[in-house]
């Protein structure tokens, strides 16, 4: 669960390819296996039919040697390439009349001494359910496949039974050979498909990987740097998700700029309020000094030097007043409450004006 989609997607492709390859291989082997069994059964039916007709005359005449020569011909001609190992001719009672390998199945050998498979074939055929029967124990069984055919006389009576045995190792060799060939043939294609799966899976997971990288860098990188890692091409769901994330980045950037403007505005407002308060506090004593100088100029007994000095002070204080007035932009602070000495100073300043 903790793997990246860069790994999960190629692994999913690989798993699908392997399962598909396995299913195709099993299907091919199954059809080959069932096809071989059908062919073996058909071949056994045809072969036992030929044998029963070939030995009919010699069996009727009780010519043992001629019957033996007849059943040896197919084995001598084809060997065991078809899996055929033994041919037996049983008499009407089920005892061995003649066999292609007399050392394994001796003449006149009782039925109860024969292999169970042959006894089963004889039981089925002797009960007249069918004139041909085929028995196969399975792929993993070591028992041979056995087929039997009723040998009938010219008048339709039963004079014996033709039994053939097939070695199933031939079937196993063919199946294993088919598996080996299929594996050797499919390996190059499988490798190509796996490489393609990993490549294509990486391509599919790339937008997800870029989106995850962009999300991880939010708060540490700038918005332009984050956008560089986004893949906005294409119209699939991942691309749409990336575009939605890009829109969110734009809104985030706008919100951040607005917050910065608010902070700057609040700082400027605070500076303005402080400046206004300072200017207001300066203006109070400054106004008193200017009024005092004005009173001295109008009613005081001054000499030339004093007059020049008072003029210089008046111009300097007026310049200070103009500078402080520029600071009074937004807010004003309440002035300090006046004390008794302030009222005495005010009376001193305004009394000359009243006397005039």
């Amino acid at each position: 669960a903790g793997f990246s989609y860069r790994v999960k997607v190629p692994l999913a492709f690989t798993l699908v390819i392997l399962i598909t390859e396995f299913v195709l291989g099993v299907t091919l082997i199954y059809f080959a296996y069932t096809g071989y069994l059908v062919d073996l059964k058909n071949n056994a039916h045809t072969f036992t039919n030929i044998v029963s007709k070939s030995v009919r005359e010699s069996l009727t005449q009780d010519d043992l040697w001629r019957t033996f020569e007849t059943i040896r011909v197919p084995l001598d001609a084809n060997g065991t390439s078809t899996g055929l190992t033994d041919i037996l001719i049983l008499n009407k009672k089920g005892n061995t009349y003649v066999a292609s390998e007399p050392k394994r199945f001796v003449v006149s050998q009782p039925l109860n001494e024969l292999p169970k498979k042959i006894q089963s074939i004889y039981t089925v055929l002797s009960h007249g359910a069918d004139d041909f029967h085929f028995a196969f124990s399975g792929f993993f069984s070591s028992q041979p496949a056995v087929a039997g055919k009723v040998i009938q006389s010219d008048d339709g009576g039963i004079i014996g039974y033709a039994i053939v045995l097939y070695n199933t190792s031939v079937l196993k060799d063919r199946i294993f050979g088919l598996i080996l060939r299929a594996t050797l043939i499919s390996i190059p294609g499988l490798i190509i498909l796996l490489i393609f799966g990993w490549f294509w899976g990486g391509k599919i997971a790339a937008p997800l990987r870029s989106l995850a990288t962009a999300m991880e860098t939010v708060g540490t990188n700038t918005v332009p740097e984050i956008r560089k890692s986004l893949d906005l091409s294409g119209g699939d769901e991942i691309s749409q998700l990336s575009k939605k994330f890009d829109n969110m980045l734009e809104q985030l950037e706008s919100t951040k700029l607005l917050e910065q403007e608010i902070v700057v505005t609040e700082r400027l407002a605070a500076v303005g309020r402080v400046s206004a308060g300072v200017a207001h506090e300066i203006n109070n004593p400054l106004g008193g000094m200017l009024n005092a100088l004005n009173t001295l100029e109008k009613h005081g007994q001054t000499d030339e030097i004093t007059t020049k000095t008072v003029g210089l002070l008046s111009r300097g204080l007026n310049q200070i007043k103009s500078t402080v007035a520029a600071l009074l932009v937004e807010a004003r602070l309440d002035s300090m409450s006046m004390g008794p000495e302030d009222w005495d100073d005010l009376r001193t300043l305004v009394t000359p004006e009243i006397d005039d």
Side-chain angles (χ1 to χ4, degrees), residues 259-273:
E259 290 176 351
Q260 292 176 351
E261 292 178 357
I262 292 174
V263 170
V264 172
T265 303
E266 289 179 350
R267 289 178 180 177
L268 291 176
V271 171
R273 287 192 295 271

Side-chain angles (χ1 to χ4, degrees), residues 202-224:
K203 292 286 288 183
I204 292 177
L208 283 175
R209 189 170 64 255
S210 63
L211 181 60
T213 302
M215 289 182 175
E216 290 175 356
T217 56
V218 172
T220 57
N221 294 344
T222 61
V223 173

Side-chain angles (χ1 to χ4, degrees), residues 321-356:
K321 182 179 180 181
S322 300
T323 303
V324 172
L327 297 177
L328 296 174
V329 179
E330 283 190 39
R332 296 178 181 273
L333 295 176
D334 294 333
S335 61
M336 296 176 59
S337 58
M338 296 181 66
E341 63 276 6
D342 295 321
W343 289 106
D344 292 338
D345 293 340
L346 180 60
R347 186 182 301 110
T348 301
L349 293 173
V350 300
T351 297
E353 297 290 335
I354 296 174
D355 294 339
D356 291 341

Side-chain angles (χ1 to χ4, degrees), residues 20-32:
T20 303
E21 188 76 16
F22 176 77
V23 171
L24 289 177
V26 170
T27 304
L28 177 63
I29 293 171
Y30 172 76
F31 281 112

Side-chain angles (χ1 to χ4, degrees), residues 84-322:
L84 179 65
T85 58
D86 296 282
I87 304 174
L88 287 81
I89 304 298
L90 305 182
N91 59 24
K92 189 174 180 179
K93 295 180 180 180
N95 299 327
T96 303
Y97 178 74
V98 69
S100 58
E101 296 295 336
K103 293 182 180 181
R104 242 191 335 259
F105 304 102
V106 295
V107 175
S108 300
Q109 186 176 4
L111 178 66
N112 58 6
E113 295 180 4
L114 294 174
K116 296 294 184 181
K117 282 282 187 179
I118 297 178
Q119 295 181 33
S120 299
I121 292 290
Y122 171 79
T123 301
V124 173
L125 295 177
S126 61
H127 282 76
D130 196 358
D131 65 344
F132 173 79
H133 186 69
F134 179 81
F136 179 69
S137 300
F139 180 78
F140 297 101
S141 174
S142 60
Q143 296 293 325
V146 182
K149 173 74 175 176
V150 175
I151 304 175
Q152 296 177 338
S153 61
D154 293 335
D155 57 2
I158 298 177
I159 58 175
Y161 303 92
I163 307 296
V164 294
L165 282 71
Y166 290 91
N167 188 357
T168 56
S169 63
V170 176
L171 170 62
K172 295 178 182 178
D173 293 340
R174 290 187 179 183
I175 296 300
F176 287 133
L178 177 62
I179 294 174
L180 179 61
R181 290 193 300 272
T183 302
L184 294 177
I185 293 174
S186 62
I187 283 177
L190 181 61
I191 293 175
I192 293 174
L193 288 176
L194 291 177
I195 294 174
F196 175 78
W198 277 91
F199 172 77
W200 189 248
K203 292 286 288 183
I204 292 177
L208 283 175
R209 189 170 64 255
S210 63
L211 181 60
T213 302
M215 289 182 175
E216 290 175 356
T217 56
V218 172
T220 57
N221 294 344
T222 61
V223 173
E225 290 176 346
I226 295 174
R227 283 176 175 167
K228 290 180 180 178
S229 60
L230 287 177
D231 185 5
L232 302 177
S233 61
D236 54 16
E237 290 80 1
I238 299 177
S239 298
Q240 292 177 7
L241 183 61
S242 299
K243 292 175 183 178
K244 294 291 183 182
F245 179 71
D246 183 63
N247 293 334
M248 186 186 72
L249 288 177
E250 291 183 358
Q251 296 177 2
L252 182 64
E253 186 177 22
S254 301
T255 303
K256 187 176 181 180
L257 292 175
L258 181 60
E259 290 176 351
Q260 292 176 351
E261 292 178 357
I262 292 174
V263 170
V264 172
T265 303
E266 289 179 350
R267 289 178 180 177
L268 291 176
V271 171
R273 287 192 295 271
V274 172
S275 300
V278 172
H280 191 68
E281 293 300 320
I282 292 175
N283 273 337
N284 287 334
L286 185 61
M289 287 186 288
L290 288 173
N291 286 333
L293 290 175
N294 187 33
T295 302
L296 181 61
E297 287 179 350
K298 290 182 178 181
H299 304 285
Q301 300 295 327
T302 60
D303 55 18
E304 181 179 358
I305 295 176
T306 302
T307 302
K308 289 182 179 181
T309 302
V310 170
L312 179 62
L313 290 173
S314 179
R315 288 192 300 275
L317 290 175
N318 281 313
Q319 184 176 358
I320 293 173
K321 182 179 180 181
S322 300

